[in-house]
Amino acid sequence: ERVSGTGVRLLLRTRYSLRGPPPSARADASTDLVDSALLDGHHVMTELATFRRRLASPRRVTVATAHDPDDEAREVGEIWRTWYRAAWFGALTFAVGAPMLRPATHVLPSGSPVRGLVLTGIPLIGALAVRRVRPAPAPSAVRPALLLLLAVTIVQSASAISKLGTSYEVHLLPPLGLVVLAFTARVDVSSLSLSQMRQCLQAPLVPMGTFLVASWVAQFANLVPSRYPTSFGAISVHGFRLQGLGLQPDGFGFIAAMVAVVAFCAAPSRSTWIFRVIAIVTELGTDTRTALLAMSAGILMFWLLGPARGLERRIAAGIFAVAMVPIGWLFVNIHRTGHADVLTGRDLIWRAATQLVSHVGWLGDGPETIARLFPQLAGPNSHIYQAQNQWINDAINFGYVGAALMGCLVL
């Protein structure tokens, strides 16, 4: 008697799909539900109270309805093609813009306006190609991220103009084109199941794996110079660290680590395992210890805390992680060639960077401050391009405001 007609309809709506039984069956179901409410009013009132709390909650309410398998397959296919196209255009932008790739720098000289236009145009064309797939609507989280990105861009632009002049602003265009491509490829995946999500994560593996393999080929063919001696000779390029199509081995190692984590999160298959091996071998070839730790932590967290994993697998992953600690320490403790300590001079870099950050203003000293000012602190033969600490590096370049905004954007 306490259940109102509106409440019964709300409860009925959560239990029966509009595509469910015929009208007569629906009427019988409604009658049965009212009878159930009269016989067990406390149970029904509990369900109604829960449903009303969900309606009042600011979080989105998901009503269980029958899904058309064709619609689900279509949605998964659209997301798969969206990420596949976006990853290809992103990889192509990185390959064409590789600063050490001799054929690319010969056709598109560094610093030329044509190079800037090409590197801006490739991701923008990719964004248009992604839009043609007509993916699901972008999630609402894009809006605050866009506002933060706009704030970061304004602060960094003001810093660059105040310290280096307006001509440096041209360098903003290619990365902004990549950002546009990335935000265009963002889709709402909240309706996907775990298996569907892992299936979609297979999409970017082909272009990213191809990018890694092309980097090996380019350096073995001497299309990319080999400059950094390796301390891990088992996997190297002519005795040097792999830098591939990146600026230097450290940054390229993080790209390989990212591909490895994505490959382990993707649905397992023969091709997925091939890309896992390619990514791990590439990371070892870069001899980047920080990227190795990041990759290992990412894969371990997925094994330990990932969804739909049994307790036995989680325990096995924990035992494996403990067993790998001594081996990991042996790799991390390798002394670089030409350095007497494990930190490879980072303590000297941090001391000099601390001196720079202690005198930094609100807008910093502009982009590439470390490369411009470090020789004044550590000697004319010191060639350091970053502070080996992202937060200190951002604070020196763009001030405390820029470092804080960048931190918020990352989070």
Side-chain angles (χ1 to χ4, degrees):
E1 294 175 354
R2 296 171 56 192
V3 179
S4 66
T6 303
V8 171
R9 285 196 296 273
L10 283 174
L11 185 60
L12 180 64
R13 193 173 303 169
T14 66
R15 293 188 173 181
Y16 294 94
S17 167
L18 294 179
R19 297 182 181 179
S24 58
R26 260 190 233 128
D28 294 338
S30 178
T31 303
D32 293 340
L33 184 62
V34 174
D35 293 340
S36 175
L38 295 175
L39 293 175
D40 192 4
H42 175 73
H43 173 71
V44 176
M45 288 303 297
T46 302
E47 291 197 44
L48 283 175
T50 302
F51 186 72
R52 285 166 179 162
R53 282 197 299 270
R54 293 177 63 196
L55 286 178
S57 173
R59 302 178 65 180
R60 183 172 59 186
V61 177
T62 302
V63 178
T65 58
H67 293 284
D68 189 344
D70 293 338
D71 292 341
E72 291 185 353
R74 188 180 304 109
E75 181 182 9
V76 171
E78 288 178 351
I79 295 176
W80 197 97
R81 290 193 299 273
T82 295
W83 291 352
Y84 182 78
R85 292 188 183 186
W88 268 120
F89 279 96
L92 180 61
T93 304
F94 269 85
V96 174
M100 299 298 175
L101 185 60
R102 294 189 177 97
T105 55
H106 178 73
V107 177
L108 301 172
S110 298
S112 65
V114 177
R115 181 183 179 89
L117 290 175
V118 171
L119 295 182
T120 305
I122 293 176
L124 292 181
I125 294 174
L128 294 176
V130 167
R131 290 296 299 171
R132 294 193 62 180
V133 180
R134 301 184 183 277
S140 58
V142 171
R143 295 176 182 175
L146 281 175
L147 293 177
L148 279 172
L149 178 64
L150 180 61
V152 168
T153 304
I154 292 174
V155 171
Q156 293 189 358
S157 299
S159 175
I161 292 175
S162 62
K163 301 298 181 180
L164 302 177
T166 56
S167 60
Y168 196 87
E169 292 301 293
V170 180
H171 294 277
L172 279 174
L173 298 179
L176 282 179
L178 284 170
V179 169
V180 170
L181 173 61
F183 275 96
T184 305
R186 285 173 63 97
V187 295
D188 188 357
V189 296
S190 59
S191 61
L192 298 184
S193 64
L194 176 62
S195 60
Q196 291 171 337
M197 183 66 186
R198 299 190 71 182
Q199 178 184 347
C200 291
L201 283 177
Q202 291 179 326
L205 291 180
V206 174
M208 291 194 298
T210 303
F211 178 77
L212 298 182
V213 173
S215 296
W216 281 99
V217 173
Q219 191 160 341
F220 267 112
N222 293 319
L223 299 177
V224 173
S226 299
R227 297 181 175 179
Y228 303 91
T230 184
S231 56
F232 191 61
I235 303 177
S236 62
V237 180
H238 309 305
F240 291 87
R241 299 170 65 187
L242 174 68
Q243 70 183 57
L245 300 178
L247 179 62
Q248 37 77 32
D250 293 338
F252 190 71
F254 272 98
I255 295 177
M258 177 191 67
V259 176
V261 172
V262 173
F264 274 93
C265 292
S269 65
R270 182 178 300 178
S271 60
T272 301
W273 272 104
I274 292 175
F275 290 121
R276 291 173 180 176
V277 173
I278 291 174
I280 292 176
V281 171
T282 301
E283 200 288 323
L284 294 176
T286 63
D287 195 12
T288 306
R289 294 171 296 177
T290 308
L292 175 66
L293 294 176
M295 178 186 69
S296 302
I299 296 174
L300 178 62
M301 292 298 291
F302 175 73
W303 282 347
L304 287 176
L305 305 177
R309 301 185 68 84
L311 180 61
E312 297 81 2
R313 290 191 175 185
R314 298 182 195 275
I315 295 176
I319 296 174
F320 177 78
V322 173
M324 289 299 294
V325 169
I327 300 176
W329 172 249
L330 290 176
F331 184 82
V332 172
N333 198 35
I334 291 175
H335 289 188
R336 296 278 193 217
T337 304
H339 292 278
D341 63 305
V342 177
L343 292 176
T344 60
R346 282 177 171 81
D347 51 344
L348 300 176
I349 297 174
W350 291 333
R351 281 200 293 269
T354 303
Q355 297 180 39
L356 292 176
V357 79
S358 61
H359 300 92
V360 74
W362 285 101
L363 293 177
D365 293 319
E368 302 179 0
T369 297
I370 298 292
R372 291 185 285 110
L373 300 183
F374 193 85
Q376 301 177 14
L377 301 174
N381 294 325
S382 56
H383 302 288
I384 301 299
Y385 60 91
Q386 50 114 345
Q388 298 291 339
N389 182 296
Q390 189 63 48
W391 314 114
I392 295 178
N393 201 75
D394 288 340
I396 293 174
N397 289 341
F398 308 114
Y400 295 112
V401 176
L405 288 174
M406 181 62 74
C408 293
L409 179 61
V410 171
L411 292 177

